[in-house]
């Protein structure tokens, strides 16, 4: 009996436990007001949303959840609570051309949604609610909002678990000021769901590349800017209209008439070690039809969310990468170029291309504004032909190492959200889910004159943090920035050319570059822009004056100095003292050579500071200086392991090494000859250029060198104020010789061209090696060419074939001395070293720092 009684009790307990389990399971699935505070909730139509606008983003729908009905079965919250609840409706946009107001909600788990309540305030917009997955939404409810300042509820029949919800209103003013969502959490995300939105490893990794700091800094430029203006950049962002590249049949052309030879432009930059990234901006009527092209490059009526709609654009990206990338193994049948173009592949001039400019600009109408989803669709096509579904399309299809930069985004307040929604498109529209961009590109800058304490560094850190989490191994490019100058301006007074204004401008430009270089967070930073606009709000934003003048401002020299000093270094660390900062850069490779960039901060007193030499034996100071592109360099004395330098808000550079280094202050100065003759051995008449020669042919030759002050000095010097040379050399078939007092290294040539075409060539007279040639194809203008350093020579041979010119100028610097026997005693010893050092101190021009370095190494047996 006792055992039967125990068995009955056990059975009862078992039955009860099952009921308890069912009870608790049921309780866990009870519908209640869901806390949405941890959910990701994003407006999809946020083109005009930003700080300080009258528009209201989606957060307004969830900002008073404590006043919402607690149960879907009772919408009565009481008159006082209802009265106290804001009636400020969710209104993200008031321009219908941008589409419906909509937002999505990622709940981060699977929820069963049983009901949704709306605080319906005014109007009669129709709302649609959907579940499912992004871009495959399933409508679960539709409601016309025709109540007035009262709560209403939609109860859902047979709801299914969902991670996402989507809401849209067919009118700009949604008519709703608060939402309440009811239901319960069903489960955590599955492994497949987590994988769907997890960051993906890139197909084409780009990390591990130590780009020198000097190559990261630069500016925006155009194809018609001269090299003497662009030479200060490490990276050039070239504005290039998409419409220039297509003929009426959408075949690609790389030469735009007589002014835009892309091959020679990119080659000249590449040969000078300047990285160039073309910004292929705007649309083309060859694609869209009509008379005016919209920025979104699709045919009229095409689906802008379909990557295939961007086929012509993506195929143009393929042609650019095929021609200018490094892959020479390109199928000739895939080239779609005009008959006038020579087929070329794998030239190696470019490493990246940008596919638009400010795609999220809000001021030019919807036809010129990309939603995040539209830009993602175009990027997917431009990246790899949307995973190969578009033939001969995408940069990576042509060259796996080539990089795609997305168009530079504006408006930081919504920038992260824009990137979030691009990623959402990639997650659900690419089978690999990859963020199909290699370079994330933004337009940001400092928001206060104190660059280091502005929001810029924090903004960069936030962007880099987002990239590390969501798009690992992508690069960051600030492709446009400007510096705040309001504190240097006076209302009603144009002070832009004032010396103090230009100094402050140059200092802030340089310190913005340094801010971006910190922590190696920014891979490229290019200023808006090289040249002044000439008019409008940006008329004075250039580093040089407007087109046709290109006079260098102080900021141009600050950038050029930075680029030169940091040419083989990467950022290492930063230290700060009382009122000053020091950024340290180490040489790529063994890191033994250090460059310390130091400056005071806004408002700090200028003065002398001690900087550690880090145990190095030699120290050199380089200071940016108007008129010397590479800055002025001098040796510093190291005392007690430190150097003393004067600091101001101008960044200066202290190079620390264990080896003596040579330097030249002014590598592109005008080199004036001492004599000219028609014979190499001077057996004929020799003219010392003090007066015209008597020989008629030599007189024609002399005319090419009789007005040297009419040519820029140095080669990149300002020319707008120079007087035009007057004497004309028009005789053809002249060969003459130009003599110099000492051997020189030549790296630039300039001609003032007048009438006709012909030819003039310059040779090293000692080796007969061609150094430069011109076809004299210009008209009444100066043509300047930069070349690689020549071998030292004291004589040039000039061959004038035909055409007229008024002046010829040579540029470079004096070569190191041929002999270090300074005291002429027949041997080189430490006494000669002392004399060479004294020569440098007295600046008598006999010797250079290269001679001191050379004799020191010789005496040490190095």
């Amino acid at each position: 009996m006792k055992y039967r009684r125990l068995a009955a009790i056990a059975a009862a307990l078992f039955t009860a436990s099952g009921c308890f389990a069912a009870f608790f399971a049921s309780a866990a699935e009870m519908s209640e007001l869901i806390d949405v505070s941890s959910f990701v909730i994003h407006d999809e139509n946020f083109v005009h949303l930003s700080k300080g606008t009258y528009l209201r983003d989606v957060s307004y729908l969830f900002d008073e959840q404590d006043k919402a009905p607690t149960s879907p079965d009772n919408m009565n919250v009481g008159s006082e609570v209802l009265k106290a609840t804001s009636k400020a409706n969710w209104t993200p946009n008031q321009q219908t051309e941008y589409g419906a107001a909509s937002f999505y909600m990622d709940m981060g788990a699977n929820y069963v949604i049983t009901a949704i309540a709306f605080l319906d305030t005014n109007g009669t917009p129709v709302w649609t609610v959907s579940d499912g997955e992004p871009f495959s939404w399933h409508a679960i409810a539709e409601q016309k909002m025709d109540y007035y300042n009262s709560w209403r509820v939609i109860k859902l029949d047979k709801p299914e678990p969902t991670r996402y919800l989507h809401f849209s209103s067919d009118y700009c003013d949604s008519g709703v000021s608060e939402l309440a969502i009811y239901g319960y959490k069903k489960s955590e995300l599955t492994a497949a769901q987590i994988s769907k939105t997890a960051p993906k490893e890139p197909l084409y990794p780009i990390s591990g590349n130590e780009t020198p700091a000097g190559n990261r800094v630069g500016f925006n430029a155009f194809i018609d800017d001269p090299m003497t203006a662009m030479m200060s950049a490490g990276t050039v962002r070239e504005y290039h209209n998409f419409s220039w590249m297509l003929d009426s049949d959408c075949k690609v052309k790389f030469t735009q008439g007589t002014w835009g030879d892309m091959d020679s432009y990119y080659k000249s930059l590449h040969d000078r070690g300047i990285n160039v990234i073309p910004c292929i901006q705007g649309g083309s009527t060859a694609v869209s039809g009509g008379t005016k092209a919209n920025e979104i490059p699709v045919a009229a009526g095409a689906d802008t969310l379909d990557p295939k709609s961007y086929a012509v654009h993506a195929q143009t990206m393929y042609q650019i990468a095929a021609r200018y990338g490094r892959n020479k193994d390109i199928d000739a049948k895939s080239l779609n170029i005009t008959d006038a173009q020579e087929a070329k592949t794998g030239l190696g001039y470019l490493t990246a291309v940008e596919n638009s400019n400010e795609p999220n600009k809000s001021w030019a109408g919807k036809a010129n504004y990309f939603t995040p989803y539209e830009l993602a669709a175009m990027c997917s096509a431009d990246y790899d032909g949307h995973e190969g579904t578009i033939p001969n399309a995408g940069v990576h299809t042509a060259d796996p190492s080539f990089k795609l930069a997305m168009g530079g985004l504006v408006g930081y307040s919504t920038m992260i959200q824009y990137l979030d929604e691009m990623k959402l498109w990639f997650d659900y529209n690419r089978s690999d889910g990859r963020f199909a961009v290699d370079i994330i590109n933004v337009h940001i800058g400092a928001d206060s004159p104190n660059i280091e304490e502005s929001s810029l560094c924090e903004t960069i850190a936030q962007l880099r943090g987002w990239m590390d989490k969501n798009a690992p191994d992508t690069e960051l490019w600030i492709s446009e920035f400007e510096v705040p100058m309001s504190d240097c301006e006076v209302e009603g007074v144009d002070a832009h050319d004032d010396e103090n204004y230009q100094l402050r401008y140059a200092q802030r430009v340089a310190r913005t570059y340094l801010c971006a270089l910190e922590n190696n967070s920014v891979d490229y930073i290019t200023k808006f822009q090289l040249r002044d606009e000439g008019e409008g709000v940006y008329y004075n934003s250039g580093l040089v004056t407007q087109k046709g003048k290109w006079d260098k401002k102080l900021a141009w020299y600050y950038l050029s100095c930075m680029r030169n000093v940091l040419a083989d270094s990467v950022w290492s660390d930063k230290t700060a003292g009382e009122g000053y900062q020091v950024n340290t850069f180490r040489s790529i490779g063994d890191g033994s050579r250090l460059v310390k960039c130091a400056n005071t901060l806004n408002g700090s007193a200028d003065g002398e500071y001690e900087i550690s030499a880090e145990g190095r034996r030699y120290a050199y100071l380089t200071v940016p200086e108007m008129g010397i592109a590479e800055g002025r360099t001098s040796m510093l004395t190291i005392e007690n392991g430190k150097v003393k330098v004067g600091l101001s808000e101008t960044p200066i550079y202290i190079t620390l090494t264990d080896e003596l280094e040579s330097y030249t202050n002014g590598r592109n100065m005008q080199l004036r000859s001492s004599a000219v003759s028609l014979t190499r051995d001077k057996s004929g008449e020799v003219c010392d250029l003090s007066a015209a020669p008597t020989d008629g042919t030599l007189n024609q030759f002399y005319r090419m060198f009789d007005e040297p002050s009419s040519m820029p000095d140095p080669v990149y010097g300002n020319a707008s104020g120079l007087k035009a040379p007057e004497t004309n050399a028009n005789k053809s078939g002249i060969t003459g010789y130009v003599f110099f007092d000492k051997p020189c290294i030549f790296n630039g040539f300039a001609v003032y061209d007048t009438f006709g075409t012909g030819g003039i060539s310059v040779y090293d007279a000692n080796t007969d090696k061609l150094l430069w040639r011109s076809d004299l194809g210009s008209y009444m203008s100066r043509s300047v060419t930069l070349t690689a350093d020549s071998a030292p020579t004291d004589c040039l041979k000039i061959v004038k074939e035909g055409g007229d010119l008024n002046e010829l100028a040579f540029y470079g610097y004096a070569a190191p001395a041929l002999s270090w026997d300074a005291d002429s005693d027949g041997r080189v010893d430490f006494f000669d070293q002392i004399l060479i050092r004294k020569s440098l101190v007295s600046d008598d021009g006999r010797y250079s720092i290269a001679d001191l370095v050379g004799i020191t190494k010789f005496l040490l047996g190095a």
Side-chain angles (χ1 to χ4, degrees):
M1 175 70 74
K2 181 171 75 171
Y3 292 111
R4 283 200 295 268
R5 200 173 285 169
L6 287 173
I9 292 171
L13 287 171
F14 178 80
T15 302
S17 68
C19 291
F20 286 143
F23 171 78
F24 285 120
S26 176
E29 296 183 352
M30 287 181 60
S31 181
E32 59 182 1
L33 179 64
I34 296 174
D35 178 6
V36 300
S37 61
S38 64
F39 296 172
V40 173
I41 306 173
H42 276 338
D43 280 288
E44 291 184 300
N45 190 334
F46 56 91
V47 54
H48 292 113
L49 284 174
S50 62
K51 294 179 181 178
T53 69
Y54 62 91
L55 299 172
R56 294 183 284 272
D57 63 27
V58 70
S59 67
Y60 279 78
L61 291 175
F62 301 98
D63 61 344
E64 294 184 298
Q65 293 289 282
D66 58 326
K67 298 182 179 69
T70 57
S71 168
D73 298 323
N74 182 9
M75 292 289 101
N76 185 8
V77 297
S79 59
E80 292 302 316
V81 172
L82 183 62
K83 182 179 179 181
T85 306
S86 170
K87 307 305 185 297
N89 294 341
W90 168 52
T91 311
N93 171 54
Q94 287 198 337
Q95 297 185 37
T96 56
E97 66 170 324
Y98 289 92
S102 61
F103 72 90
Y104 71 89
M105 177 182 290
D106 181 353
M107 296 178 282
N110 294 304
Y111 281 78
V112 173
I113 306 303
T114 59
I116 301 171
F118 306 78
L119 180 49
D120 188 348
T121 60
N122 59 275
T124 58
V126 176
W127 276 59
T128 302
V129 182
S130 303
D131 64 6
E133 288 188 338
F135 312 101
S136 299
W137 298 116
H138 168 250
I140 55 175
E142 186 176 285
Q143 179 64 58
K144 185 177 183 179
M145 298 299 164
D146 52 5
Y147 283 15
Y148 179 73
N149 287 348
S150 57
W151 284 96
R152 69 189 308 158
V153 66
I154 298 175
K155 294 185 177 181
L156 304 175
D157 295 330
K158 299 179 181 178
E160 295 291 330
T162 184
R163 172 182 179 175
Y164 294 99
L165 288 176
H166 186 267
F167 298 80
S168 64
S169 165
D170 68 353
Y171 192 67
C172 297
D173 185 336
S174 69
V176 174
S177 65
E178 194 75 16
L179 281 183
I181 300 174
Y182 305 91
Y184 55 89
K185 182 177 178 179
K186 182 67 175 179
S187 67
E188 299 295 341
L189 297 180
T190 65
Q193 287 177 307
I194 293 172
S195 175
K196 188 71 174 175
T197 55
K200 309 301 190 297
E201 290 300 318
L203 281 174
Y204 313 102
I206 56 179
S207 62
N209 177 26
E210 285 194 321
T211 302
N215 281 18
R216 297 178 184 229
V217 295
F219 43 69
N220 296 201
F222 295 87
I223 199 169
D224 58 351
D225 286 326
M227 182 58 69
T228 50
M230 294 187 294
M231 62 182 284
S232 64
T235 289
V236 165
R237 178 192 190 223
E238 180 234 349
Y239 292 115
H240 203 106
N241 290 350
F242 179 47
S243 60
W244 295 344
M245 300 201 66
L246 299 181
D247 71 1
S248 58
D249 296 321
C250 292
K251 289 190 173 185
V252 176
K253 48 186 178 178
F254 296 102
T255 302
Q256 284 76 49
T258 60
W259 55 267
D261 184 347
M262 295 169 69
D263 287 2
S264 62
Y265 178 70
Y266 297 148
K267 182 180 187 302
S268 63
L269 288 165
H270 174 268
D271 289 351
R272 288 198 65 82
I274 299 174
N275 177 46
V276 57
I277 305 177
C279 170
I280 309 300
Q281 61 181 359
S284 169
T285 55
V287 176
S288 63
T291 58
K292 183 179 180 180
N294 297 322
E295 294 264 343
I296 300 179
V298 299
D303 180 1
T304 54
L305 295 181
D306 184 353
K308 293 181 180 179
S309 297
Y310 302 94
V312 174
H313 195 267
Q315 288 162 346
T316 303
M317 296 293 116
Y318 173 93
Q319 299 300 320
I320 293 171
R323 190 177 189 89
Y324 299 118
R326 291 180 291 185
N327 182 21
K328 294 182 179 295
D329 188 20
I330 300 289
D331 185 353
K333 294 179 181 178
S334 70
L335 300 182
N336 181 42
I337 57 179
T338 64
D339 293 340
Q341 311 297 302
E342 180 183 352
K344 300 177 183 178
T345 58
L347 293 175
Y349 300 159
L350 302 179
T351 61
V353 65
E354 180 185 359
N355 67 355
S356 58
N357 182 33
E358 296 184 341
N360 65 329
K361 55 178 159 289
S362 60
W363 55 86
K366 176 60 189 77
N368 301 304
Y369 169 83
F370 287 81
T371 69
Y373 302 148
E374 289 170 334
L375 184 60
M378 186 174 78
C379 285
S380 189
D382 292 343
Y383 184 75
D384 60 1
H386 191 53
E387 301 184 275
T389 60
I390 306 171
N392 302 326
V395 298
H396 286 295
T397 307
D399 181 354
S401 69
F402 208 86
K403 292 178 282 192
L404 175 69
M406 58 182 277
L409 299 179
V410 295
Y412 180 70
S413 62
T414 57
M415 205 171 277
I416 296 293
Q417 182 176 340
Y418 197 100
L419 293 171
D420 276 337
E421 296 189 18
M422 286 185 69
K423 181 179 180 300
L424 188 75
W425 190 95
F426 292 132
D427 287 341
Y428 286 93
N429 287 279
R430 286 181 61 96
S431 63
D432 61 10
R434 286 185 169 85
F435 197 90
V437 166
D438 300 300
I439 304 173
I440 290 175
N441 183 7
V442 297
H443 295 174
I444 57 175
D447 56 2
S448 76
N450 192 346
I451 305 298
E452 295 80 7
E453 296 182 6
S454 72
S455 64
L456 179 59
C457 287
E458 180 183 354
T459 299
I460 292 171
Q462 290 172 347
L463 284 166
R464 179 56 73 179
W466 185 93
M467 293 163 62
D468 291 343
K469 180 180 178 181
N470 297 281
D473 215 37
T474 50
E475 294 182 333
L476 177 60
W477 180 18
I478 300 175
S479 63
E480 288 187 18
F481 77 88
E482 186 52 285
V483 295
M485 292 297 295
S486 59
D487 61 317
C488 297
E489 296 171 346
V490 178
E491 187 175 354
V493 177
D494 187 351
H496 290 89
D497 294 328
D498 178 76
E499 183 177 341
N500 180 67
Y501 185 99
Q502 288 299 320
L503 173 61
R504 295 297 184 196
Y505 191 75
Q507 290 170 337
R508 293 171 190 180
V509 167
R511 286 158 54 197
T512 300
Y513 286 127
L514 289 172
C515 184
L517 293 175
E518 284 183 25
N519 300 306
N520 298 304
S521 295
V522 176
D523 296 276
Y524 316 96
I525 175 169
T526 47
K527 187 190 177 299
F528 179 86
Q529 59 183 359
L530 171 59
R531 72 193 192 201
D532 287 345
E533 286 284 299
E535 60 183 10
V537 67
Y538 299 114
Y539 86 98
N540 201 268
S541 290
L543 300 176
V544 303
T545 56
Q546 59 190 275
K547 179 180 177 179
K549 293 184 176 180
W550 288 292
D551 288 347
K552 282 73 181 173
K553 303 179 186 179
L554 188 60
W556 186 92
Y557 287 96
Y558 275 47
L559 167 60
S560 185
C561 178
M562 178 183 292
R563 192 255 174 150
N564 179 70
V565 177
L566 302 179
D568 62 353
S569 302
V570 293
W571 187 90
S572 178
D573 62 73
K574 176 182 175 179
T575 56
E578 186 65 34
Y580 73 97
Q581 66 173 11
V582 179
N583 282 283
T584 300
F585 298 81
R586 60 172 176 80
S587 58
I588 294 175
D590 62 11
S592 61
R593 184 178 185 270
L594 301 180
V595 178
K596 293 196 169 189
C597 178
N599 61 273
T600 59
L601 306 177
N602 270 39
S604 300
D606 298 351
E608 190 172 67
Y609 293 79
E610 288 188 335
I611 307 292
S612 172
E614 305 292 345
R616 301 311 193 269
R617 296 175 60 195
Y618 302 101
Y620 304 86
L621 173 65
T622 303
V623 179
E625 181 177 313
M626 193 83 165
I628 302 180
E630 60 271 20
R632 182 172 293 279
T633 299
S634 59
M635 291 190 73
L636 289 173
T637 300
I638 300 175
E639 294 182 356
N640 300 319
K642 296 181 179 180
V643 295
K644 290 182 179 180
V645 292
L647 294 186
S648 68
E649 292 182 33
T650 294
I652 62 172
Y653 306 88
I654 303 150
T655 301
L656 303 168
T657 72
D658 283 326
E659 301 289 338
L660 274 171
E661 293 189 354
S662 62
Y663 56 84
T664 299
N665 288 320
R667 296 178 57 85
N668 303 102
M669 310 308 288
Q670 189 180 142
L671 298 172
R672 299 190 181 187
S673 60
S674 58
V676 296
S677 177
L678 298 179
T679 57
R680 175 68 177 89
D681 60 3
K682 298 184 179 181
S683 58
E685 183 179 0
V686 177
C687 175
D688 66 3
L689 301 175
S690 62
T694 58
D695 181 89
T697 301
L698 182 58
N699 183 271
Q700 279 282 303
F701 191 64
Y702 155 83
R703 287 185 173 197
M704 293 190 282
F705 312 104
D706 63 340
E707 299 175 274
S709 60
S710 68
M711 303 301 282
D713 188 14
V715 70
Y716 44 79
N718 296 341
S720 63
L722 296 179
K723 180 182 177 182
E726 297 176 353
T727 57
N728 184 254
N730 54 21
K731 184 177 178 62
S732 301
I734 302 176
T735 297
Y737 296 86
V738 180
F739 301 92
F740 298 84
D741 286 334
K742 61 184 301 184
C744 297
I745 293 172
F746 295 89
N747 53 30
F749 302 87
V751 60
Y752 193 98
D753 197 357
T754 54
F755 307 100
T757 59
I760 188 165
S761 302
V762 177
Y763 299 84
D764 180 341
N766 296 319
T767 64
D768 214 34
K769 179 179 180 180
L770 178 66
L771 303 182
W772 170 78
R773 188 182 189 284
S774 170
D775 64 2
L776 300 179
S778 300
Y779 174 72
M780 303 303 292
S781 62
R782 297 175 183 86
S783 297
V784 180
T785 303
L786 298 172
T787 63
D789 282 5
S790 72
T793 184
D794 59 358
C795 185
L796 298 176
K797 182 176 78 172
I798 314 297
V799 178
K800 183 179 180 298
E801 301 157 18
D804 290 15
L805 65 98
N806 278 16
E807 196 70 19
L808 183 62
F810 313 109
Y811 298 90
Y813 56 96
L818 296 178
S819 172
W820 296 325
D821 184 11
D823 57 9
S824 302
D825 65 353
R827 62 179 182 273
V828 176
D829 53 26
F830 286 101
F831 293 105
D832 297 305
Q833 184 192 41
I834 293 171
L835 292 174
I836 290 175
R837 188 183 293 273
K838 286 182 177 180
S839 172
L840 289 174
V841 172
S842 64
D843 197 22
D844 61 16
R846 292 180 59 208
Y847 295 97
S848 69
I849 186 66
D851 296 310
L852 180 60
V853 172
I855 191 173
T856 301
K857 290 184 175 180
F858 171 77
L859 294 173
L860 294 175

